[in-house]
Amino acid sequence: MALLDIRDLSVDFTRDDGRVRAIDRVSLRVEANEVVGLVGESGSGKTVTALSIARLLPCPPARYAGGEIELDGEDVLKVGTKRLSQLRGGQISYMFQEPATSLNPVHRVGVQVREMLRRHRPALATDREVVDWLRRVGIPAPEKRARDFPHQLSGGMQQRVMIAMALASRPRLLVADEPTTALDVTIQAAILELLRELRAELGMSILLITHNLGLVAEIADRMIVMYAGQVVEEGPVDDVLDHPAHPYTRALLESMPRLEAPRDRLAAIEGSVPTPGHWPTGCRFAPRCALARAECRRAMPPLERMGKRTVRCPWAPPTGAKIREPA
Amino acid sequence: MSSSPLLEIHDLHVHYPVGRTTPFAPASVLKAVDGVDLRLAPGETLGLVGESGCGKTTLGRALVKLVQPTTGQLRFRGQDITRLQGRELLAYRKRVQMIFQDPAGSLNPRLTAGASIAEPLRLHRLTRTANARRERVAELLRSVGLDPDHAQRYPHEFSGGQRQRIGLARALAVEPELIVCDEPVSALDVSVQAHVINLLADLQRARGLSFLFIAHDLAVVAHLCQRVAVMYLGRILESGPTSAVLGTPRHPYTLALRSAVPQVRPKERQQRMPLPGEPPSPLDPPSGCAFHPRCPIGEDRCQRERPAFRSIGPGHQVACHAVE
């Protein structure tokens, strides 16, 4: 049984001009001790999906419009508030893009780490355990740093404190939403290495939400590509990145400048990601897709299983081969 | 690069006084740019890379005269521009423009896109009549791939990529020779970023523009720039042709920076060279070579002597004692 099993999840938002769907029948699994990368551009619905898992979306304006979220056998959408607050931080922890805004500026970082322990593993809520965690995430002179306020630490160190807070309660699942986007590449590399070590040591699973395909290639086992509120492709990372099947995945890869393989011109995708409320009928990528034909604009193609992958495009090649040009 | 350079930076220092930490402590000085030598040829795109806080933005701002250098010299087409004022400064700013990282923050929210683009036209008296100005704005919008009808809209009505294009149109309005681009694509999504990068490359080719391209993304720099300079704690550690600096880096810091970039293709992944610690505070830079506390190959000498910035190949310079 998967640790996290999201089935056909839809989330709506109420706005002044009515209700719009933000994610549309998203299914996603994370196995125990697995790292899954959830990739997409702004407006793809990846953050809404991630926040849904612990019901962190404010309702209203959000509304869970359908589907199930099963975390370790429990349906998160049905549990009561008391159980929910045990799950949050207990079974599932989050870390976000900007550590500076996620940490409380008026409390010393040691106190913030201890707060997590006090709530979820009270027997371990000691200064020693706090210092141990700060040491474990690579903070030098942890006894001293525990007494620092967040603003006294660099961005990389703040993100390490966030990791200590997220993991001190030993959650089964860490949801990391763009955890290194605000950091320099050298710091990013160190944080990735740390997550990799802690994952092996603690046996946890990670759902990594990012727009950076390089990060996913570095750390994830499997990846899911979202576009306009839907999953368009899912499969083992190396397969998807080496032989992207969905035209969007392929276009995304081709539009990236690459350090190792410079090219003359980037193959930019025409148009922009449609925002919620403005999704076209049929395949949502069709208006920007070079391979689209008339039927793509009429009916939504289903997600279809192809070997180790699922792809939402009838023109996708079985494996490897170049995408078939429609006649 | 023996032809006469467009821009020469000679031993440039930009220091900021910072307050005392305690009442009797000596006032300290933050050396944001600490002795930089660089040249930029006409029509060239020079990438300036480095981690946050290394001084790359301050250097860019010094070039467009948004901050005043403490010492050192800036020459533009042979003319000393270090201490320009008044009318001469205005004339210089017609030749050098800047675009910024945050496209929303660099446009006045109360001006329409057209009014923002028309502002430099008015300021430099480049168009005589309102009609001529309107036409020029339309032409500029077209040149950055926007619809001329968009001139009537306000910044909030545009996407991030479109706002960056407006910023670019505004910079192009005065037909500058050099544009300083400070992280122009790092706030954009991958597919939008590709459009802006292609647009910059096209403009450079079509108009023979020079760019100083400040970025932390090495892949973007490798794609756009002919030459690269690597900055660390206010100093340039390595500079040269992109293929040399990013292809076969010589400075240990460049090597580490390059190996830290996550690669999409597993086969392209290379041995990572971990960097211990974090960049030291520019308030209290290390002695000798600024990089020595984190350097894997540092010698005794590196702690004492600041390495000279010297030539090691055609146009390729390195500041490192250990490089032969």
Side-chain angles (χ1 to χ4, degrees):
Chain A
M1 190 184 66
L3 173 67
L4 173 70
D5 192 357
I6 300 180
R7 287 184 300 268
D8 286 329
L9 181 70
S10 297
V11 175
D12 292 346
F13 279 85
T14 312
R15 297 194 306 205
D16 296 344
D17 54 344
R19 188 186 290 164
V20 283
R21 182 140 293 189
I23 57 171
D24 192 15
R25 301 185 59 133
V26 168
S27 295
L28 179 165
R29 291 161 71 90
V30 181
E31 305 289 334
N33 200 19
E34 189 185 32
V35 180
V36 175
L38 182 58
V39 185
E41 296 182 273
S42 333
S44 62
K46 57 189 193 303
T47 295
V48 170
T49 306
L51 293 176
S52 296
I53 303 169
R55 274 167 55 192
L56 291 180
L57 293 171
C59 301
R63 195 179 75 99
Y64 293 94
E68 282 127 58
I69 303 171
E70 211 170 275
L71 181 66
D72 217 4
E74 251 175 303
D75 189 340
V76 179
L77 293 181
K78 297 216 171 75
V79 300
T81 43
K82 191 162 169 224
R83 179 68 191 138
L84 190 61
S85 60
Q86 286 170 347
L87 288 177
R88 293 173 176 165
Q91 299 277 69
I92 171 172
S93 279
Y94 283 82
M95 59 187 287
F96 299 99
Q97 176 167 356
E98 282 197 38
T101 56
S102 307
L103 290 166
N104 188 330
V106 301
H107 288 298
R108 299 177 195 275
V109 297
V111 172
Q112 301 191 48
V113 176
R114 199 167 61 194
E115 169 75 9
M116 280 300 281
L117 289 165
R118 201 179 56 73
R119 291 200 55 148
H120 297 286
R121 304 176 78 203
L124 286 172
T126 61
D127 284 346
R128 218 177 106 195
E129 181 76 5
V130 168
V131 169
D132 265 359
W133 269 104
L134 294 180
R135 182 176 300 120
R136 207 174 212 164
V137 296
I139 294 179
E143 294 86 358
K144 249 172 80 186
R145 290 284 91 83
R147 290 197 298 273
D148 280 352
F149 289 97
H151 74 268
Q152 293 171 287
L153 302 176
S154 67
M157 286 298 146
Q158 287 173 347
Q159 201 54 294
R160 285 173 194 264
V161 172
M162 285 304 298
I163 296 176
M165 278 178 70
L167 302 186
S169 60
R170 296 212 172 223
R172 304 280 316 273
L173 175 66
L174 172 69
V175 180
D177 191 354
E178 302 275 8
T180 61
T181 304
L183 305 175
D184 280 313
V185 278
T186 54
I187 312 296
Q188 167 176 291
I191 297 280
L192 271 192
E193 194 51 48
L194 175 66
L195 284 177
R196 213 178 273 142
E197 280 167 29
L198 289 171
R199 168 219 185 177
E201 192 187 323
L202 307 174
M204 60 173 175
S205 306
I206 300 177
L207 180 63
L208 172 72
I209 291 105
T210 181
H211 67 276
N212 185 334
L213 294 169
L215 273 189
V216 169
E218 292 272 339
I219 192 172
D221 306 309
R222 221 150 41 78
M223 67 184 280
I224 295 162
V225 183
M226 285 187 73
Y227 184 81
Q230 287 182 319
V231 173
V232 295
E233 181 162 7
E234 176 272 330
V237 165
D238 290 351
D239 287 12
V240 175
L241 292 180
D242 269 350
H243 305 290
H246 195 281
Y248 174 65
T249 318
R250 199 170 65 147
L252 207 53
L253 275 160
E254 281 173 5
S255 65
M256 277 172 58
R258 295 252 288 278
L259 189 50
E260 305 296 328
R263 40 186 133 198
D264 264 6
R265 204 175 162 72
L266 301 175
I269 314 174
E270 286 311 317
S272 53
V273 182
T275 51
H278 298 95
W279 292 334
T281 48
C283 170
R284 289 178 191 162
F285 186 60
R288 305 173 71 191
C289 181
L291 306 180
R293 29 164 50 183
E295 56 251 56
C296 298
R297 297 171 196 267
R298 277 199 297 270
M300 169 77 65
L303 261 181
E304 275 179 293
R305 183 126 209 111
M306 290 179 4
K308 284 189 251 173
R309 263 192 259 183
T310 44
V311 181
R312 192 186 291 279
C313 178
W315 314 111
T319 47
K322 202 170 162 289
I323 289 193
R324 196 167 10 130
E325 303 283 339
Chain B
M1 219 112 333
S2 53
S3 65
S4 74
L6 180 71
L7 181 79
E8 285 167 282
I9 305 172
H10 181 61
D11 196 27
L12 191 78
H13 290 257
V14 181
H15 297 179
Y16 293 111
V18 277
R20 295 162 207 273
T21 43
T22 56
F24 299 105
S28 40
V29 168
L30 188 148
K31 297 179 177 172
V33 177
D34 187 18
V36 164
D37 290 275
L38 272 180
R39 312 174 96 193
L40 186 63
E44 183 179 58
T45 302
L46 172 67
L48 184 61
V49 300
E51 295 172 272
S52 16
C54 73
K56 52 190 196 298
T57 292
T58 302
L59 180 57
R61 286 175 171 260
L63 298 187
V64 291
K65 309 291 300 164
L66 286 176
V67 297
Q68 184 58 38
T70 312
T71 57
Q73 203 186 36
L74 292 169
R75 297 180 84 83
F76 188 80
R77 294 228 183 254
Q79 181 203 356
D80 188 340
I81 54 152
T82 324
R83 317 247 159 228
L84 287 186
Q85 278 181 338
R87 204 173 290 240
E88 283 177 335
L89 180 59
L90 190 67
Y92 174 66
R93 286 206 171 126
K94 190 182 162 302
R95 307 173 76 182
V96 179
Q97 285 285 312
M98 184 159 184
I99 56 177
F100 301 89
Q101 170 168 10
D102 176 11
S106 55
L107 292 172
N108 185 337
R110 307 176 70 165
L111 290 186
T112 60
S116 275
I117 298 169
E119 186 117 317
L121 296 174
R122 225 163 26 80
L123 196 65
H124 293 281
R125 299 194 186 146
L126 296 174
T127 44
R128 282 168 203 283
T129 62
N131 248 342
R133 201 174 302 147
R134 245 193 314 277
E135 244 163 62
R136 178 82 176 117
V137 167
E139 183 190 322
L140 284 161
L141 281 169
R142 262 193 300 270
S143 74
V144 295
L146 290 175
D147 189 332
D149 294 340
H150 288 1
Q152 299 310 316
R153 297 197 193 167
Y154 287 90
H156 73 268
E157 296 175 80
F158 293 98
S159 68
Q162 288 173 323
R163 286 187 206 129
Q164 200 55 286
R165 287 169 194 262
I166 296 169
L168 188 56
R170 180 178 58 183
L172 290 171
V174 298
E175 300 191 359
E177 291 162 74
L178 169 67
I179 300 183
V180 175
C181 312
D182 190 2
E183 302 270 13
V185 298
S186 38
L188 306 177
D189 262 322
V190 184
S191 69
V192 182
Q193 179 179 308
H195 285 285
V196 177
I197 290 174
N198 282 342
L199 175 63
L200 288 172
D202 292 346
L203 286 170
Q204 203 245 341
R205 244 171 305 207
R207 307 189 176 204
L209 269 168
S210 295
F211 285 117
L212 178 75
F213 194 86
I214 302 168
H216 66 276
D217 186 334
L218 296 189
V220 173
V221 169
H223 182 81
L224 262 179
C225 301
Q226 287 119 34
R227 283 203 312 134
V228 184
V230 182
M231 200 165 175
Y232 187 79
L233 273 189
R235 306 168 191 186
I236 305 290
L237 298 187
E238 182 164 6
S239 81
T242 305
S243 55
V245 176
L246 297 180
T248 50
R250 300 297 301 279
H251 198 287
Y253 178 65
T254 317
L255 263 166
L257 205 56
R258 192 179 167 288
S259 77
V261 180
Q263 297 296 328
V264 165
R265 298 289 161 118
K267 285 156 238 149
E268 291 167 9
R269 225 173 276 168
Q270 45 168 260
Q271 191 61 37
R272 181 150 290 163
M273 199 178 111
L275 269 189
E278 300 193 349
S281 159
L283 277 175
D284 182 21
S287 60
C289 170
F291 185 58
H292 86 255
R294 300 171 81 192
C295 184
I297 56 169
E299 318 160 6
D300 279 354
R301 181 147 78 115
C302 305
Q303 299 180 25
R304 294 189 311 266
E305 278 171 55
R306 178 164 170 174
F309 193 52
R310 62 205 164 80
S311 246
I312 53 156
H316 191 173
Q317 288 130 330
V318 171
C320 179
H321 290 306
V323 173
E324 296 304 312

